[in-house]
């Protein structure tokens, strides 16, 4: 999994990262500018570390994820 940013131009998303190959499936999440998420350097590092874990296959099943979330109500 990778996170990329981009801009909508003429109704199409143009990514800043051109390393995606044609046919790559993506999910686009958009927020209004007033709801923009700003991460601190520490939070960004944590996010990047989590993405690296997923890239290495260090994941849990969806079932395990929901079991863990249920513990927190």
């Amino acid at each position: 999994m990778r996170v990329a940013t981009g801009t909508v131009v003429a109704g199409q998303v143009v990514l800043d990262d051109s390393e995606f190959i044609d046919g790559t499936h993506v999910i686009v999440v958009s927020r209004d500018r007033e709801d923009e998420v700003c991460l601190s350097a520490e939070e960004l590092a944590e996010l990047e570390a989590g993405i690296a874990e997923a890239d290495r296959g260090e994941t849990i099943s969806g079932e395990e994820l929901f079991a863990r979330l249920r513990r927190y109500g």
Side-chain angles (χ1 to χ4, degrees), residues 2-23:
R2 292 183 9 211
V3 175
T5 58
T7 307
V8 176
V9 177
Q12 296 189 15
V13 176
V14 178
L15 298 176
D16 298 334
D17 178 358
S18 61
E19 293 182 22
F20 288 97
I21 60 172
D22 288 345

Side-chain angles (χ1 to χ4, degrees), residues 1 7 10 16 20 22-23 25 31 34 36-37 41 43 50 52 56-58 61 64 68 72:
M1 184 171 98
T7 307
D16 298 334
F20 288 97
D22 288 345
H25 292 264
R31 294 199 177 255
E34 62 194 42
E36 191 170 315
V37 175
E43 291 167 325
R56 291 189 302 268
E58 298 171 12
S61 69
E64 174 63 20
R68 290 182 186 187
Y72 296 101

